[in-house]
Amino acid sequence: MQEIKEYVHRLFKHTRHQQETINQIIEMLVEKVEDLKETGLSERDAIHKTIVEFGDLEDYYIPTMEREKRRYKRKKSIQHYRNDLLFASFSTCIIIGILAIVNIFYFRDYGYWFIIPSLGLLFWPLSLLYKLLNKKGD
Amino acid sequence: MAISSDIIRGHLESVILKLIIEKDRYGYEIASVIQKRTHHQFAIKEATLYAMVQRFEKKGLITSYIGTKSHGRERRYYTISPLGYDYFERKLLEWKQLKEIMSLLLETTDARN
């Protein structure tokens, strides 16, 4: 029955089905081979018939694969937004820090003007946070 | 004439559950009974059947156990659960309604309405 095992493993190579599911399919196909042998077919013919009649994965497994692909893509894009947010937050902190230092040490006479560009800069991570929350909510 | 699988697909769930309600059956037995009862006019693809059976099991509509058939070989048998029975009853009702609607639409010869 090695042929059946190899066939099923090859068929499910690109899917993310659990081993248990694959084993169960193998078990069912082996049952069919045994039944066909009882009708008088040789093991070789029974295996061949079983493989030919199994059909393809289109009917029910492809939708599952598509779902898995979409889920994976979504996970990746959430991770991407997270990284963007992290980068934007760090960069904003550094830029605000530099502005504050320049303001306090070199242009103190003009008041705390660094607050104005800092407020504008905060919209960068905030917009990314908004995007991330929206993506998570989808 | 072999029937198109697209037409029957929506009702395969009910067919499989009905066969398991009749008696506990193993995977290939279900496919083989379907073929015999329809006088080889319809054959379910095993990929479809096994996917459905696994889905039923995940949903708790059926449960499985390892039993023995002839020659003492082990096989995985499926048995209906109360949840599966209720689900089948609902599907049967749906089917009866559909049958009535389709016969009204396709077989009525009264052209006045």
Side-chain angles (χ1 to χ4, degrees):
Chain A
M1 300 299 169
Q2 191 57 29
E3 216 173 324
I4 293 282
K5 274 185 194 165
E6 281 170 12
Y7 168 72
V8 176
H9 281 295
R10 217 168 36 242
L11 209 59
F12 287 86
K13 200 165 71 181
H14 299 296
T15 68
R16 301 196 314 159
H17 282 86
Q18 290 175 342
Q19 193 56 40
E20 194 192 331
T21 306
I22 294 169
N23 287 343
Q24 214 170 329
I25 298 277
I26 293 171
E27 195 181 285
M28 286 173 172
L29 291 181
V30 168
E31 280 171 1
K32 180 171 177 176
V33 170
E34 296 296 343
D35 268 23
L36 289 174
K37 273 163 66 182
E38 272 175 29
T39 65
L41 282 183
S42 68
E43 182 164 318
R44 193 185 161 78
D45 288 344
I47 289 173
H48 184 69
K49 193 172 159 61
T50 302
I51 289 174
V52 169
E53 286 178 357
F54 182 70
D56 45 42
L57 300 183
E58 248 175 41
D59 285 349
Y60 285 92
Y61 288 111
I62 294 296
T64 314
M65 281 159 70
E66 288 298 324
R67 260 201 315 276
E68 279 177 0
K69 257 191 211 161
R70 275 205 302 276
R71 200 177 298 145
Y72 180 67
K73 229 173 150 182
R74 184 174 170 268
K75 210 174 145 189
K76 273 208 100 167
S77 65
I78 287 177
Q79 186 61 43
H80 186 83
Y81 279 124
R82 247 187 223 140
N83 290 344
D84 281 355
L85 180 63
L86 200 70
F87 177 77
S89 307
F90 267 117
S91 307
T92 306
C93 288
I94 290 168
I95 296 169
I96 291 175
I98 292 170
L99 283 173
I101 290 166
V102 169
N103 185 181
I104 291 161
F105 289 102
Y106 301 100
F107 299 98
R108 198 153 192 184
D109 300 343
Y110 296 95
Y112 292 110
W113 53 263
F114 83 93
I115 292 171
I116 313 248
S118 301
L119 283 175
L121 260 174
L122 280 176
F123 277 92
W124 182 23
L126 274 178
S127 66
L128 287 171
L129 180 67
Y130 174 75
K131 273 189 173 180
L132 175 68
L133 292 177
N134 265 351
K135 194 80 190 167
K136 274 187 169 177
D138 281 348
Chain B
M1 190 180 72
I3 195 163
S4 155
S5 60
D6 287 339
I7 297 171
I8 210 165
R9 182 170 305 182
H11 307 286
L12 276 177
E13 283 193 345
S14 325
V15 172
I16 294 169
L17 287 175
K18 161 81 166 60
L19 293 176
I20 298 174
I21 286 171
E22 284 176 5
K23 67 175 202 161
D24 297 356
R25 295 184 194 270
Y26 59 93
Y28 176 60
E29 189 185 357
I30 298 170
S32 146
V33 169
I34 288 175
Q35 213 170 346
K36 269 184 211 154
R37 285 201 190 167
T38 58
H39 305 292
H40 297 269
Q41 290 185 80
F42 177 72
I44 187 171
K45 283 183 192 163
E46 267 98 12
T48 307
L49 169 70
Y50 299 157
M52 278 189 159
V53 164
Q54 286 180 343
R55 219 170 48 213
F56 287 162
E57 215 179 348
K58 269 185 197 156
K59 283 185 183 172
L61 302 181
I62 57 173
T63 51
S64 67
Y65 63 92
I66 302 291
T68 49
K69 206 213 158 199
S70 53
H71 313 303
R73 265 201 322 268
E74 286 189 338
R75 284 171 193 279
R76 184 181 293 273
Y77 282 85
Y78 296 98
T79 187
I80 198 85
S81 72
L83 198 68
Y85 197 82
D86 288 347
Y87 185 75
F88 171 73
E89 293 276 291
R90 277 205 309 275
K91 295 296 270 182
L92 191 65
L93 202 70
E94 256 177 44
W95 161 246
K96 282 178 181 163
Q97 282 171 341
L98 175 72
K99 203 165 66 170
E100 207 178 302
I101 291 167
M102 290 310 286
S103 100
L104 282 172
L105 290 173
L106 297 179
E107 290 168 10
T108 305
T109 49
D110 188 356
R112 283 173 300 174
N113 294 321

